[in-house]
């Protein structure tokens, strides 16, 4: 009997593990970690030259003899695929703002304030350590939170993290990255093209007008969305912001509301019952085909365009875009002495900015918001969760690497900066994960005590 119990327990554990692995975010997080390891191995192997050469190859699309468009493979990944990543994140955020956890002003203001603190404090720490040196140009490096990596870590923690905390992190990270993109546009862009920027804002205006006039067909949004991306790509502002702007314009109200769907479905079902269901199947009866097609069309039209677009992109985002991005960007050659990194003002500014500045800024500004009564935290999480999420927000990989390349041209400085980002992001991920797991265990124990207490006399 004992053996049987153990076998059942093992089978249950295997099923639980399989279910957890099949969870999109958990599996996506594992793919992301594997991709990062692959990139580091490639960059530090005999294939490093081929790896970097491949990323620098141009992928060109020729539409005619005089019309072509091309970017390097690395640019297609960083400027193209990542715009889709920001689109998916923006769609999820819009859904939460409209009907979810961020629909209240007080709840929405909490992650926005946290993002502000998470940008300001790291920048101030970096500036204080590098004031008067040539490294001061990198003050924007520790400001950003990497959405892809931070959500990957949250996904790996599974049910140990409240769903509402993930929403908080998404809102925080998007606000953070928009802030970083604005910093890039204002302080790190060499030249802005006002023609392309104006055209991009015009495309954004057209998308808003389409939403306002009730256009629901996603094809038209995608066409104008591509124009929006192309304009931002050539404007001097990082094109990933086009993904967020595009997400804002996607309709949340379906073509067919639920009441009309119910009435039409009832009519279609009645008509279906009048056909020869007992004798003929849909392949043999054209009337059945027409009715079933009408039911399918009505069901499709009852789905909000926002959810339709989000669901069509979410797997592509988790299992292709994010891992590919990691392979292309995480390849840093680890040939610098660790003492050299931590002893330099540049390395220390990045390490302390991401590792300590992020969690401090997020915690302080969240507390200020609560004390002033302008924001509130969801009841599902507490201050330990805020500290944990604040540390995970210190994973600044994507935008931090991007700003590094804009701020510096000296290869030795770039190398120290990138290795500092890698170390800080790794420590932030580990520290944040440990704190969130501790917070989760404490929450479970408290729940068990509360359930047990009523029975104690």
């Amino acid at each position: 009997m004992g053996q049987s119990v153990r076998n059942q327990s093992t089978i249950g554990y295997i099923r639980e593990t399989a279910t957890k692995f099949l969870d999109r975010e958990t599996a996506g997080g594992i793919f992301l970690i594997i991709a990062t390891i692959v990139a580091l191995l490639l960059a530090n192997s005999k294939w490093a030259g081929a790896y970097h050469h491949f990323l620098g190859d141009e992928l060109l699309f020729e539409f005619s003899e005089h019309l072509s468009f091309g970017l390097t493979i690395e640019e297609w990944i960083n400027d193209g695929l990542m715009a889709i990543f920001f689109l998916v994140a923006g769609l999820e955020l819009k859904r939460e703002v409209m009907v979810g956890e961020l629909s209240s002003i007080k709840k929405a203001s909490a992650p926005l304030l946290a993002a502000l603190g998470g940008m300001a404090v790291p920048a101030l720490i970096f500036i204080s350590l590098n004031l008067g040196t040539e490294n001061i140009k990198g003050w924007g490096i520790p400001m950003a939170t990497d959405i892809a990596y931070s959500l990957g870590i949250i996904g790996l923690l599974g049910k140990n993290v409240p769903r509402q905390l993930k929403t908080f992190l998404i809102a925080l990270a998007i606000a953070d990255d928009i802030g970083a993109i604005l910093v890039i546009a204002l302080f790190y862009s060499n030249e802005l093209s006002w023609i392309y920027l104006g055209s991009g804002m015009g495309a954004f205006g057209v998308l808003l007008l389409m939403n306002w006039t009730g256009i629901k067909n996603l094809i038209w949004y995608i066409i104008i969305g591509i124009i929006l991306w192309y304009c931002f790509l050539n404007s001097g502002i990082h094109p990933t912001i086009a993904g967020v702007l595009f997400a804002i314009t996607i309709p949340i109200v379906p073509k067919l509301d639920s009441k009309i769907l119910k009435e039409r479905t009832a009519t279609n079902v009645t008509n279906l019952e009048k056909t020869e269901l007992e004798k003929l199947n849909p392949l043999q009866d054209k009337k059945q085909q027409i009715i079933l097609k009408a039911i399918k069309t009505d069901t499709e039209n009852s789905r909000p365009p926002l959810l339709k677009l989000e669901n069509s992109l979410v797997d592509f985002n988790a299992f292709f875009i994010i891992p590919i991005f990691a392979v292309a960007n995480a390849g840093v050659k680890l040939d610098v002495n660790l003492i050299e990194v931590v002893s330099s003002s540049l390395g220390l500014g990045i390490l302390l900015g991401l590792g300590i500045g992020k969690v401090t800024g997020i915690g302080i500004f969240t507390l200020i918001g609560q004390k002033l009564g302008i924001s509130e935290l969801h009841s599902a999480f507490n201050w330990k969760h805020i500290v944990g999420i604040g540390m995970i927000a210190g994973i600044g990989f994507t935008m931090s690497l991007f700003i590094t390349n804009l701020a510096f041209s000296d290869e030795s400085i770039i190398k120290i900066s990138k290795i500092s980002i890698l170390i800080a992001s790794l420590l932030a991920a580990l520290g944040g994960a440990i704190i969130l797991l501790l917070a989760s265990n404490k929450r479970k124990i408290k729940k068990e005590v509360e359930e047990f207490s009523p029975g104690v006399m």
Side-chain angles (χ1 to χ4, degrees):
M1 185 176 177
Q3 182 67 36
S4 174
V5 171
R6 280 195 296 272
N7 288 339
Q8 288 177 3
S9 177
T10 303
I11 292 168
Y13 178 78
I14 292 171
R15 285 176 178 168
E16 183 182 351
T17 304
T19 303
K20 195 178 289 185
F21 177 80
L22 290 172
D23 178 79
R24 183 184 293 118
E25 289 165 0
T26 304
I30 292 170
F31 271 64
L32 184 57
I33 291 170
I34 292 170
T36 303
I37 293 170
V38 168
L40 288 170
L41 290 173
L42 285 172
N44 292 275
S45 70
K46 62 182 180 180
W47 300 292
Y51 163 70
H52 290 294
H53 184 269
F54 174 76
L55 292 174
D57 282 344
E58 186 178 31
L59 184 59
L60 184 69
F61 290 93
E62 289 193 67
F63 303 101
S64 69
E65 188 179 344
H66 304 289
L67 182 63
S68 62
F69 175 69
L71 297 170
T72 66
I73 290 173
E74 188 172 10
E75 287 171 338
W76 275 113
I77 293 168
N78 292 347
D79 299 342
L81 290 180
M82 285 307 286
I84 299 174
F85 170 81
F86 272 79
L87 165 62
V88 175
L91 290 170
E92 184 164 0
L93 180 62
K94 180 176 179 179
R95 171 167 48 79
E96 292 296 335
V97 168
M98 298 296 291
V99 295
E101 299 298 332
L102 299 179
S103 54
S104 154
I105 294 175
K106 277 193 172 185
K107 288 179 181 178
S109 61
L112 297 180
L113 276 173
L116 183 60
M119 289 186 284
V121 176
L124 289 173
I125 289 174
F126 185 93
I127 290 169
S128 67
L129 290 169
N130 290 276
L131 196 61
T133 71
E134 63 175 343
N135 298 333
I136 193 66
K137 291 185 290 184
W139 63 272
I141 294 171
M143 289 179 63
T145 294
D146 190 298
I147 300 180
Y149 276 81
S150 56
L151 287 183
I153 296 299
I154 291 293
L156 285 172
L157 297 176
K159 293 181 181 179
N160 289 300
V161 177
R163 181 180 60 83
Q164 296 82 359
L165 193 63
K166 178 197 166 191
T167 303
F168 181 89
L169 176 62
I170 290 172
L172 184 158
I174 288 179
D176 192 299
D177 275 344
I178 289 174
I181 290 169
L182 291 175
V183 166
I184 290 167
L186 296 172
F187 300 101
Y188 290 100
S189 296
N190 295 323
E191 186 179 348
L192 286 177
S193 170
W194 294 105
I195 293 175
Y196 275 110
L197 184 58
S199 300
M201 294 313 294
F204 179 58
V206 170
L207 287 166
L208 289 173
L209 184 63
M210 287 166 59
N211 186 318
W212 184 69
T213 53
I215 295 173
K216 309 294 184 186
N217 194 327
L218 283 173
I219 294 297
W220 297 112
Y221 284 91
I222 291 169
I223 291 170
I224 305 299
I226 292 171
I227 296 171
L228 172 69
W229 171 80
Y230 180 79
C231 290
F232 270 86
L233 178 69
N234 293 281
S235 70
I237 294 177
H238 202 264
T240 50
I241 197 172
V244 178
L245 294 176
F246 182 42
I248 291 171
T249 67
I250 302 300
I252 200 167
V253 178
K255 198 176 201 178
L256 195 67
D257 68 41
S258 298
K259 185 179 178 182
I260 295 174
L261 174 68
K262 179 184 176 183
E263 293 170 355
R264 289 173 66 156
T265 302
T267 302
N268 282 322
V269 170
T270 301
N271 291 336
L272 191 63
E273 289 172 346
K274 293 177 182 177
T275 64
E276 298 184 74
L277 287 173
E278 302 297 328
K279 298 179 181 179
L280 303 174
N281 62 44
L283 288 175
Q284 300 167 318
D285 189 345
K286 196 168 184 179
K287 286 183 180 179
Q288 289 184 41
Q289 290 179 29
I290 294 170
I291 295 168
L292 290 172
K293 186 177 179 181
I295 292 172
K296 182 182 177 182
T297 301
D298 286 347
T299 303
E300 190 66 21
N301 288 336
S302 70
R303 293 174 63 205
L306 184 142
L307 291 181
K308 200 183 294 185
L309 183 59
E310 183 182 353
N311 290 336
S312 66
L313 290 173
V314 71
D315 286 332
F316 178 67
N317 184 56
F319 299 114
F320 183 77
I321 293 177
I322 298 174
I324 288 293
F325 175 82
V327 169
N329 289 272
V332 182
K333 195 165 181 65
L334 305 174
D335 60 352
V336 176
N337 192 302
L338 189 60
I339 302 298
E340 185 183 346
V341 173
V342 298
S343 62
S344 68
S345 61
L346 172 63
L348 202 56
I350 293 171
L351 287 167
L352 293 179
L354 288 172
I356 296 176
K358 273 287 180 184
V359 63
T360 303
I362 288 170
I364 290 174
F365 274 62
T366 301
L367 181 62
I368 290 172
Q370 281 208 308
K371 293 295 183 184
L372 294 178
I374 57 177
S375 65
E376 63 180 22
L377 296 179
H378 196 280
S379 58
F381 55 90
N382 53 41
W383 282 102
K384 265 195 177 180
H385 288 112
I386 293 297
V387 172
I389 217 70
M391 291 198 72
I392 284 178
I395 305 172
F397 209 82
T398 311
M399 202 59 72
S400 295
L401 290 176
F402 184 74
I403 294 174
T404 295
N405 292 328
L406 294 175
F408 305 120
S409 56
D410 188 307
E411 285 299 323
S412 61
I413 293 177
I414 290 174
K415 188 174 288 187
I416 289 175
S417 178
K418 286 188 174 183
I419 292 174
S420 300
I421 293 166
L422 188 63
I423 294 169
S425 297
L426 177 62
L427 293 175
L430 290 173
I434 291 169
I435 290 172
L436 287 175
L437 285 173
L438 290 173
S440 172
N441 289 336
K442 187 175 180 181
R443 191 161 168 259
K444 285 177 183 174
I445 291 169
K446 185 180 177 182
K447 187 178 179 181
E448 287 172 3
V449 168
E450 287 174 351
E451 289 174 353
F452 180 74
S453 293
V456 178
M457 298 299 291

